[in-house]
Amino acid sequence: MKQLLKAVLIAAALVVLIKVFAFTSCTIPSTGMENSLLRGERVIVNKWSYGLRLPLMGMTGYHRLAARGVERGDIVLFNNPAGKGTIDRRELFINRCIGLPGDTLMLNGQLIQTRDQVLSPDSKLVYAYPGEQEDLVVEAMRRVGIGDNKLVGFDRGDFLRSFSHYEIYLMRQELRGQVTFRSLQTDTADGVHPFVVPARGKAVKVYPWNAKLLCNTIVQHEGRQARLQGDTLWVDGRRVTSYTFKKDYHWVASNNSVSLCDSRLFGFVPDDHIIGRASLIWFSKDTEEPFWHGFRWKRFFRLVQ
């Protein structure tokens, strides 16, 4: 009897050690990752995929052994960035990483990634507009503070000027449809803007379209006081036009855009919230069929892609 009890205790201890320091299992709670992971499937998460995040963060802080970066396209398990309390005790989410630290994503008004050309907010494109509206354009440039922007050419009665994404945003806001600007290169759809995913030690410029997201990130994860006044960001009582982040962040998305349990809901995911990569599906059943004949044994131990 003692030998049996000893064996049970050793086995239990090994299971706990493996779960804490090597692998864990989680159940997919929703349909947000369908086509890759189905609701009710159980997956194994490798805690060493990005280096082991040491437990007891509430006591010892954030430490990661053999740290390495997430790869674009990985399905990652992480703690809720918008949760309360100690990070490693928060609710778990699982999503696909589509934006790495330093990446620029083209997101629309719903913060969904688009197929538009990825460009810097300050990259220049050449725009054409009717020559008879030159006075309106020059006056608008003066009002929004765009100086030293000379004509770059003419095209069948149109005047040509180069504007950055931010400058053309300001011009369109200022002119309110009075002037139609036509890009001679690949332009982005209306309402689509470049969002830079913050990286440790790098400054991110503040624009009207990213100010709220940056403000929330600074308050929740950088430990600073921040607020918005219109489109202006204030940090620790000072107006800022850019902010240098202390952490690496990621942008994650559901496979199913209807599911809002991704970065559209809770914003950027800091590196200290990431647990590991979903590597293997070890249990699956067809939730659309009755329990007693819905098992799909051929789906057991399927690699997560």
Side-chain angles (χ1 to χ4, degrees):
M1 185 65 180
K2 290 183 178 180
Q3 292 296 325
L4 177 60
L5 181 59
K6 183 179 179 180
V8 170
L9 291 175
I10 292 174
L14 287 174
V15 169
V16 171
L17 288 173
I18 290 173
K19 185 171 182 179
V20 172
F21 294 105
F23 301 95
T24 190
S25 174
C26 70
T27 302
I28 306 303
S30 68
T31 60
M33 291 303 296
E34 282 194 349
N35 297 330
S36 296
L37 297 171
L38 303 179
R39 182 177 183 178
E41 288 187 328
R42 298 176 186 175
V43 298
I44 292 175
V45 174
N46 182 357
K47 291 189 172 185
W48 284 90
S49 299
Y50 315 118
L52 177 67
R53 188 184 73 176
L54 296 183
L56 304 176
M57 293 178 65
M59 298 173 58
T60 63
Y62 170 61
H63 302 282
R64 193 180 291 272
L65 300 179
R68 50 188 177 275
V70 177
E71 294 186 12
R72 192 178 294 103
D74 282 358
I75 296 179
V76 296
L77 182 72
F78 55 94
N79 295 103
N80 182 4
K84 303 295 183 182
T86 306
I87 293 173
D88 55 357
R89 302 296 296 273
R90 296 179 187 175
E91 180 183 9
L92 299 178
F93 286 108
I94 189 164
N95 284 133
R96 188 181 300 279
C97 179
I98 64 171
L100 301 178
D103 281 355
T104 299
L105 302 177
M106 301 303 295
L107 306 178
N108 63 19
Q110 291 74 48
L111 297 183
I112 297 175
Q113 186 181 30
T114 70
R115 296 181 180 273
D116 289 79
Q117 177 188 7
V118 176
L119 46 84
S120 162
D122 296 316
S123 62
K124 298 276 190 176
L125 296 177
V126 176
Y127 291 86
Y129 57 89
E132 61 269 20
Q133 296 179 324
E134 170 69 356
D135 291 343
L136 285 173
V137 172
V138 171
E139 177 60 22
M141 286 195 302
R142 185 192 65 79
R143 291 197 298 268
V144 300
I146 300 176
D148 194 26
N149 190 330
K150 298 179 181 179
L151 288 170
V152 297
F154 306 91
D155 180 30
R156 291 171 294 183
D158 287 344
F159 284 11
L160 307 181
R161 287 184 194 270
S162 62
F163 294 102
S164 70
H165 184 91
Y166 181 44
E167 289 171 340
I168 200 66
Y169 171 87
L170 293 177
M171 292 294 288
R172 284 169 171 164
Q173 293 292 310
E174 181 68 24
L175 289 165
R176 298 180 182 276
Q178 295 180 73
V179 176
T180 300
F181 292 95
R182 174 175 56 87
S183 174
L184 300 190
Q185 294 112 331
T186 302
D187 198 4
T188 56
D190 189 33
V192 175
H193 301 294
F195 286 75
V196 176
V197 182
R200 182 188 297 113
K202 295 186 178 180
V204 177
K205 288 186 178 181
V206 180
Y207 297 102
W209 59 83
N210 72 353
K212 183 176 181 180
L213 182 60
L214 294 184
C215 182
N216 292 341
T217 305
I218 292 167
V219 171
Q220 292 176 352
H221 306 302
E222 296 283 309
R224 307 283 292 276
Q225 295 294 320
R227 63 182 176 87
L228 280 181
Q229 186 174 337
D231 292 331
T232 303
L233 177 62
W234 295 75
V235 179
D236 293 337
R238 298 177 58 186
R239 180 181 181 273
V240 300
T241 57
S242 65
Y243 181 84
T244 301
F245 286 83
K246 297 185 297 184
K247 300 179 180 180
D248 282 328
Y249 292 84
H250 307 78
W251 188 265
V252 299
S254 304
N255 283 358
N256 182 356
S257 61
V258 176
S259 174
L260 288 175
C261 290
D262 56 20
S263 285
R264 291 171 293 164
L265 174 66
F266 43 69
F268 297 115
V269 180
D271 54 358
D272 55 5
H273 284 58
I274 292 177
I275 300 169
R277 181 170 63 88
S279 303
L280 196 71
I281 299 170
W282 69 269
F283 178 87
S284 178
K285 73 182 186 70
D286 189 340
T287 56
E288 295 182 358
E289 294 187 14
F291 179 83
W292 55 87
H293 64 80
F295 291 109
R296 291 291 183 267
W297 293 94
K298 64 182 179 180
R299 292 174 59 82
F300 276 38
F301 301 107
R302 176 166 57 88
L303 293 177
V304 178
Q305 297 178 348

